[in-house]
PDB file of all heavy atoms in Angstrom:
ATOM      1  N   GLU A 273      -4.718   1.979  10.461  1.00 58.00           N
ATOM      2  CA  GLU A 273      -5.403   2.998   9.672  1.00 58.00           C
ATOM      3  C   GLU A 273      -6.599   2.405   8.941  1.00 58.00           C
ATOM      4  O   GLU A 273      -7.645   3.041   8.835  1.00 58.00           O
ATOM      5  CB  GLU A 273      -4.436   3.631   8.677  1.00 58.00           C
ATOM      6  CG  GLU A 273      -3.423   4.540   9.336  1.00 58.00           C
ATOM      7  CD  GLU A 273      -2.328   5.001   8.382  1.00 58.00           C
ATOM      8  OE1 GLU A 273      -2.276   4.509   7.224  1.00 58.00           O
ATOM      9  OE2 GLU A 273      -1.528   5.848   8.798  1.00 58.00           O
ATOM     10  N   ALA A 274      -6.456   1.196   8.448  1.00 56.00           N
ATOM     11  CA  ALA A 274      -7.571   0.541   7.747  1.00 56.00           C
ATOM     12  C   ALA A 274      -8.735   0.317   8.704  1.00 56.00           C
ATOM     13  O   ALA A 274      -9.882   0.551   8.345  1.00 56.00           O
ATOM     14  CB  ALA A 274      -7.115  -0.775   7.134  1.00 56.00           C
ATOM     15  N   THR A 277     -10.323   3.670   9.414  1.00 48.00           N
ATOM     16  CA  THR A 277     -11.079   4.074   8.236  1.00 48.00           C
ATOM     17  C   THR A 277     -12.377   3.285   8.141  1.00 48.00           C
ATOM     18  O   THR A 277     -13.434   3.851   7.868  1.00 48.00           O
ATOM     19  CB  THR A 277     -10.233   3.861   6.963  1.00 48.00           C
ATOM     20  OG1 THR A 277      -9.031   4.624   7.092  1.00 48.00           O
ATOM     21  CG2 THR A 277     -10.981   4.294   5.720  1.00 48.00           C
ATOM     22  N   ASP A 278     -12.308   1.991   8.397  1.00 48.00           N
ATOM     23  CA  ASP A 278     -13.519   1.167   8.349  1.00 48.00           C
ATOM     24  C   ASP A 278     -14.558   1.654   9.352  1.00 48.00           C
ATOM     25  O   ASP A 278     -15.736   1.752   9.045  1.00 48.00           O
ATOM     26  CB  ASP A 278     -13.189  -0.299   8.625  1.00 48.00           C
ATOM     27  CG  ASP A 278     -12.415  -0.947   7.488  1.00 48.00           C
ATOM     28  OD1 ASP A 278     -12.399  -0.366   6.383  1.00 48.00           O
ATOM     29  OD2 ASP A 278     -11.829  -2.008   7.733  1.00 48.00           O
ATOM     30  N   PHE A 279     -14.132   1.974  10.584  1.00 49.00           N
ATOM     31  CA  PHE A 279     -15.049   2.446  11.616  1.00 49.00           C
ATOM     32  C   PHE A 279     -15.685   3.771  11.210  1.00 49.00           C
ATOM     33  O   PHE A 279     -16.886   3.972  11.364  1.00 49.00           O
ATOM     34  CB  PHE A 279     -14.311   2.598  12.949  1.00 49.00           C
ATOM     35  CG  PHE A 279     -15.193   3.102  14.040  1.00 49.00           C
ATOM     36  CD1 PHE A 279     -16.140   2.271  14.626  1.00 49.00           C
ATOM     37  CD2 PHE A 279     -15.097   4.415  14.492  1.00 49.00           C
ATOM     38  CE1 PHE A 279     -16.967   2.730  15.632  1.00 49.00           C
ATOM     39  CE2 PHE A 279     -15.920   4.877  15.493  1.00 49.00           C
ATOM     40  CZ  PHE A 279     -16.856   4.033  16.071  1.00 49.00           C
ATOM     41  N   THR A 280     -14.889   4.668  10.650  1.00 50.00           N
ATOM     42  CA  THR A 280     -15.403   5.962  10.221  1.00 50.00           C
ATOM     43  C   THR A 280     -16.429   5.793   9.114  1.00 50.00           C
ATOM     44  O   THR A 280     -17.451   6.474   9.083  1.00 50.00           O
ATOM     45  CB  THR A 280     -14.241   6.856   9.736  1.00 50.00           C
ATOM     46  OG1 THR A 280     -13.299   6.976  10.798  1.00 50.00           O
ATOM     47  CG2 THR A 280     -14.718   8.222   9.324  1.00 50.00           C
ATOM     48  N   MET A 281     -16.182   4.850   8.208  1.00 48.00           N
ATOM     49  CA  MET A 281     -17.107   4.626   7.099  1.00 48.00           C
ATOM     50  C   MET A 281     -18.455   4.106   7.569  1.00 48.00           C
ATOM     51  O   MET A 281     -19.482   4.410   6.972  1.00 48.00           O
ATOM     52  CB  MET A 281     -16.494   3.652   6.092  1.00 48.00           C
ATOM     53  CG  MET A 281     -15.444   4.281   5.237  1.00 48.00           C
ATOM     54  SD  MET A 281     -14.939   3.093   4.030  1.00 48.00           S
ATOM     55  CE  MET A 281     -13.207   3.382   4.039  1.00 48.00           C
ATOM     56  N   ILE A 282     -18.465   3.339   8.627  1.00 47.00           N
ATOM     57  CA  ILE A 282     -19.716   2.788   9.150  1.00 47.00           C
ATOM     58  C   ILE A 282     -20.625   3.906   9.649  1.00 47.00           C
ATOM     59  O   ILE A 282     -21.843   3.785   9.607  1.00 47.00           O
ATOM     60  CB  ILE A 282     -19.422   1.761  10.263  1.00 47.00           C
ATOM     61  CG1 ILE A 282     -18.789   0.528   9.632  1.00 47.00           C
ATOM     62  CG2 ILE A 282     -20.653   1.410  11.058  1.00 47.00           C
ATOM     63  CD1 ILE A 282     -18.224  -0.454  10.628  1.00 47.00           C
ATOM     64  N   GLN A 283     -20.058   5.014  10.065  1.00 49.00           N
ATOM     65  CA  GLN A 283     -20.841   6.101  10.638  1.00 49.00           C
ATOM     66  C   GLN A 283     -21.584   6.941   9.599  1.00 49.00           C
ATOM     67  O   GLN A 283     -22.409   7.753   9.951  1.00 49.00           O
ATOM     68  CB  GLN A 283     -19.926   7.009  11.470  1.00 49.00           C
ATOM     69  CG  GLN A 283     -19.350   6.287  12.666  1.00 49.00           C
ATOM     70  CD  GLN A 283     -18.414   7.161  13.451  1.00 49.00           C
ATOM     71  OE1 GLN A 283     -18.018   8.230  13.033  1.00 49.00           O
ATOM     72  NE2 GLN A 283     -18.043   6.695  14.631  1.00 49.00           N
ATOM     73  N   SER A 284     -21.295   6.755   8.337  1.00 46.00           N
ATOM     74  CA  SER A 284     -21.940   7.587   7.326  1.00 46.00           C
ATOM     75  C   SER A 284     -22.362   6.751   6.126  1.00 46.00           C
ATOM     76  O   SER A 284     -21.534   6.174   5.441  1.00 46.00           O
ATOM     77  CB  SER A 284     -20.988   8.699   6.881  1.00 46.00           C
ATOM     78  OG  SER A 284     -21.434   9.276   5.689  1.00 46.00           O
ATOM     79  N   SER A 285     -23.657   6.716   5.845  1.00 44.00           N
ATOM     80  CA  SER A 285     -24.122   5.911   4.708  1.00 44.00           C
ATOM     81  C   SER A 285     -23.617   6.498   3.397  1.00 44.00           C
ATOM     82  O   SER A 285     -23.361   5.771   2.447  1.00 44.00           O
ATOM     83  CB  SER A 285     -25.644   5.810   4.707  1.00 44.00           C
ATOM     84  OG  SER A 285     -26.222   7.083   4.559  1.00 44.00           O
ATOM     85  N   LYS A 286     -23.461   7.802   3.347  1.00 47.00           N
ATOM     86  CA  LYS A 286     -22.932   8.430   2.139  1.00 47.00           C
ATOM     87  C   LYS A 286     -21.495   7.958   1.906  1.00 47.00           C
ATOM     88  O   LYS A 286     -21.108   7.639   0.788  1.00 47.00           O
ATOM     89  CB  LYS A 286     -22.977   9.955   2.244  1.00 47.00           C
ATOM     90  CG  LYS A 286     -22.473  10.644   1.001  1.00 47.00           C
ATOM     91  CD  LYS A 286     -22.547  12.146   1.131  1.00 47.00           C
ATOM     92  CE  LYS A 286     -21.986  12.787  -0.132  1.00 47.00           C
ATOM     93  NZ  LYS A 286     -21.908  14.224  -0.023  1.00 47.00           N
ATOM     94  N   THR A 287     -20.722   7.901   2.968  1.00 45.00           N
ATOM     95  CA  THR A 287     -19.342   7.437   2.862  1.00 45.00           C
ATOM     96  C   THR A 287     -19.319   5.980   2.435  1.00 45.00           C
ATOM     97  O   THR A 287     -18.502   5.582   1.609  1.00 45.00           O
ATOM     98  CB  THR A 287     -18.603   7.617   4.204  1.00 45.00           C
ATOM     99  OG1 THR A 287     -18.665   8.979   4.574  1.00 45.00           O
ATOM    100  CG2 THR A 287     -17.159   7.179   4.086  1.00 45.00           C
ATOM    101  N   ILE A 288     -20.234   5.172   2.983  1.00 43.00           N
ATOM    102  CA  ILE A 288     -20.294   3.753   2.610  1.00 43.00           C
ATOM    103  C   ILE A 288     -20.625   3.630   1.126  1.00 43.00           C
ATOM    104  O   ILE A 288     -20.015   2.837   0.411  1.00 43.00           O
ATOM    105  CB  ILE A 288     -21.326   3.004   3.477  1.00 43.00           C
ATOM    106  CG1 ILE A 288     -20.807   2.903   4.909  1.00 43.00           C
ATOM    107  CG2 ILE A 288     -21.604   1.613   2.913  1.00 43.00           C
ATOM    108  CD1 ILE A 288     -21.812   2.373   5.895  1.00 43.00           C
ATOM    109  N   SER A 289     -21.563   4.410   0.659  1.00 49.00           N
ATOM    110  CA  SER A 289     -21.932   4.380  -0.751  1.00 49.00           C
ATOM    111  C   SER A 289     -20.739   4.768  -1.618  1.00 49.00           C
ATOM    112  O   SER A 289     -20.443   4.107  -2.616  1.00 49.00           O
ATOM    113  CB  SER A 289     -23.100   5.334  -0.997  1.00 49.00           C
ATOM    114  OG  SER A 289     -23.373   5.410  -2.370  1.00 49.00           O
ATOM    115  N   THR A 290     -20.040   5.825  -1.241  1.00 51.00           N
ATOM    116  CA  THR A 290     -18.863   6.261  -1.981  1.00 51.00           C
ATOM    117  C   THR A 290     -17.786   5.186  -1.955  1.00 51.00           C
ATOM    118  O   THR A 290     -17.151   4.910  -2.971  1.00 51.00           O
ATOM    119  CB  THR A 290     -18.306   7.577  -1.381  1.00 51.00           C
ATOM    120  OG1 THR A 290     -19.345   8.553  -1.413  1.00 51.00           O
ATOM    121  CG2 THR A 290     -17.102   8.065  -2.154  1.00 51.00           C
ATOM    122  N   HIS A 291     -17.610   4.576  -0.791  1.00 46.00           N
ATOM    123  CA  HIS A 291     -16.609   3.511  -0.650  1.00 46.00           C
ATOM    124  C   HIS A 291     -16.955   2.323  -1.547  1.00 46.00           C
ATOM    125  O   HIS A 291     -16.091   1.761  -2.215  1.00 46.00           O
ATOM    126  CB  HIS A 291     -16.510   3.072   0.814  1.00 46.00           C
ATOM    127  CG  HIS A 291     -15.580   1.930   1.040  1.00 46.00           C
ATOM    128  ND1 HIS A 291     -14.226   2.044   0.869  1.00 46.00           N
ATOM    129  CD2 HIS A 291     -15.807   0.644   1.398  1.00 46.00           C
ATOM    130  CE1 HIS A 291     -13.648   0.880   1.119  1.00 46.00           C
ATOM    131  NE2 HIS A 291     -14.596   0.008   1.446  1.00 46.00           N
ATOM    132  N   THR A 292     -18.227   1.961  -1.569  1.00 52.00           N
ATOM    133  CA  THR A 292     -18.667   0.841  -2.403  1.00 52.00           C
ATOM    134  C   THR A 292     -18.419   1.145  -3.873  1.00 52.00           C
ATOM    135  O   THR A 292     -17.910   0.306  -4.614  1.00 52.00           O
ATOM    136  CB  THR A 292     -20.159   0.541  -2.158  1.00 52.00           C
ATOM    137  OG1 THR A 292     -20.336   0.244  -0.776  1.00 52.00           O
ATOM    138  CG2 THR A 292     -20.643  -0.616  -2.998  1.00 52.00           C
ATOM    139  N   GLU A 293     -18.770   2.362  -4.289  1.00 60.00           N
ATOM    140  CA  GLU A 293     -18.529   2.751  -5.676  1.00 60.00           C
ATOM    141  C   GLU A 293     -17.043   2.737  -5.994  1.00 60.00           C
ATOM    142  O   GLU A 293     -16.635   2.286  -7.065  1.00 60.00           O
ATOM    143  CB  GLU A 293     -19.122   4.137  -5.945  1.00 60.00           C
ATOM    144  CG  GLU A 293     -20.635   4.163  -5.919  1.00 60.00           C
ATOM    145  CD  GLU A 293     -21.202   5.575  -5.888  1.00 60.00           C
ATOM    146  OE1 GLU A 293     -20.436   6.537  -6.104  1.00 60.00           O
ATOM    147  OE2 GLU A 293     -22.414   5.718  -5.659  1.00 60.00           O
ATOM    148  N   SER A 294     -16.220   3.217  -5.059  1.00 64.00           N
ATOM    149  CA  SER A 294     -14.771   3.226  -5.264  1.00 64.00           C
ATOM    150  C   SER A 294     -14.226   1.813  -5.356  1.00 64.00           C
ATOM    151  O   SER A 294     -13.367   1.528  -6.195  1.00 64.00           O
ATOM    152  CB  SER A 294     -14.067   3.973  -4.132  1.00 64.00           C
ATOM    153  OG  SER A 294     -14.449   5.313  -4.118  1.00 64.00           O
ATOM    154  N   ALA A 295     -14.713   0.932  -4.483  1.00 66.00           N
ATOM    155  CA  ALA A 295     -14.256  -0.458  -4.505  1.00 66.00           C
ATOM    156  C   ALA A 295     -14.648  -1.123  -5.819  1.00 66.00           C
ATOM    157  O   ALA A 295     -13.855  -1.860  -6.406  1.00 66.00           O
ATOM    158  CB  ALA A 295     -14.821  -1.224  -3.319  1.00 66.00           C
ATOM    159  N   GLU A 296     -15.880  -0.835  -6.290  1.00 74.00           N
ATOM    160  CA  GLU A 296     -16.316  -1.405  -7.558  1.00 74.00           C
ATOM    161  C   GLU A 296     -15.481  -0.864  -8.715  1.00 74.00           C
ATOM    162  O   GLU A 296     -15.113  -1.603  -9.626  1.00 74.00           O
ATOM    163  CB  GLU A 296     -17.798  -1.117  -7.783  1.00 74.00           C
ATOM    164  CG  GLU A 296     -18.711  -1.916  -6.877  1.00 74.00           C
ATOM    165  CD  GLU A 296     -20.165  -1.480  -6.954  1.00 74.00           C
ATOM    166  OE1 GLU A 296     -20.491  -0.527  -7.707  1.00 74.00           O
ATOM    167  OE2 GLU A 296     -20.986  -2.099  -6.256  1.00 74.00           O
ATOM    168  N   ALA A 297     -15.181   0.419  -8.668  1.00 73.00           N
ATOM    169  CA  ALA A 297     -14.347   1.016  -9.723  1.00 73.00           C
ATOM    170  C   ALA A 297     -12.946   0.410  -9.695  1.00 73.00           C
ATOM    171  O   ALA A 297     -12.373   0.112 -10.748  1.00 73.00           O
ATOM    172  CB  ALA A 297     -14.274   2.534  -9.541  1.00 73.00           C
ATOM    173  N   LEU A 298     -12.399   0.212  -8.491  1.00 76.00           N
ATOM    174  CA  LEU A 298     -11.082  -0.404  -8.368  1.00 76.00           C
ATOM    175  C   LEU A 298     -11.107  -1.836  -8.902  1.00 76.00           C
ATOM    176  O   LEU A 298     -10.225  -2.239  -9.662  1.00 76.00           O
ATOM    177  CB  LEU A 298     -10.610  -0.391  -6.909  1.00 76.00           C
ATOM    178  CG  LEU A 298      -9.275  -1.064  -6.640  1.00 76.00           C
ATOM    179  CD1 LEU A 298      -8.145  -0.386  -7.410  1.00 76.00           C
ATOM    180  CD2 LEU A 298      -8.977  -1.045  -5.143  1.00 76.00           C
ATOM    181  N   ASP A 299     -12.136  -2.603  -8.526  1.00 77.00           N
ATOM    182  CA  ASP A 299     -12.265  -3.973  -9.041  1.00 77.00           C
ATOM    183  C   ASP A 299     -12.347  -3.979 -10.566  1.00 77.00           C
ATOM    184  O   ASP A 299     -11.743  -4.820 -11.226  1.00 77.00           O
ATOM    185  CB  ASP A 299     -13.499  -4.665  -8.452  1.00 77.00           C
ATOM    186  CG  ASP A 299     -13.293  -5.089  -7.005  1.00 77.00           C
ATOM    187  OD1 ASP A 299     -12.126  -5.194  -6.573  1.00 77.00           O
ATOM    188  OD2 ASP A 299     -14.312  -5.308  -6.317  1.00 77.00           O
ATOM    189  N   ILE A 318      -2.966  -2.932  -1.918  1.00 82.00           N
ATOM    190  CA  ILE A 318      -4.201  -3.139  -1.157  1.00 82.00           C
ATOM    191  C   ILE A 318      -3.914  -3.845   0.160  1.00 82.00           C
ATOM    192  O   ILE A 318      -4.333  -3.393   1.219  1.00 82.00           O
ATOM    193  CB  ILE A 318      -5.240  -3.913  -2.004  1.00 82.00           C
ATOM    194  CG1 ILE A 318      -5.620  -3.067  -3.231  1.00 82.00           C
ATOM    195  CG2 ILE A 318      -6.471  -4.240  -1.168  1.00 82.00           C
ATOM    196  CD1 ILE A 318      -6.504  -3.759  -4.233  1.00 82.00           C
TER     197      ILE A 318
END
Side-chain angles (χ1 to χ4, degrees):
E273 288 171 353
T277 302
D278 290 344
F279 179 74
T280 303
M281 284 185 221
I282 290 170
Q283 295 178 349
S284 164
S285 62
K286 182 179 178 186
T287 303
I288 290 171
S289 174
T290 303
H291 176 67
T292 302
E293 291 168 11
S294 297
E296 288 171 359
L298 177 61
D299 285 340
I318 297 173

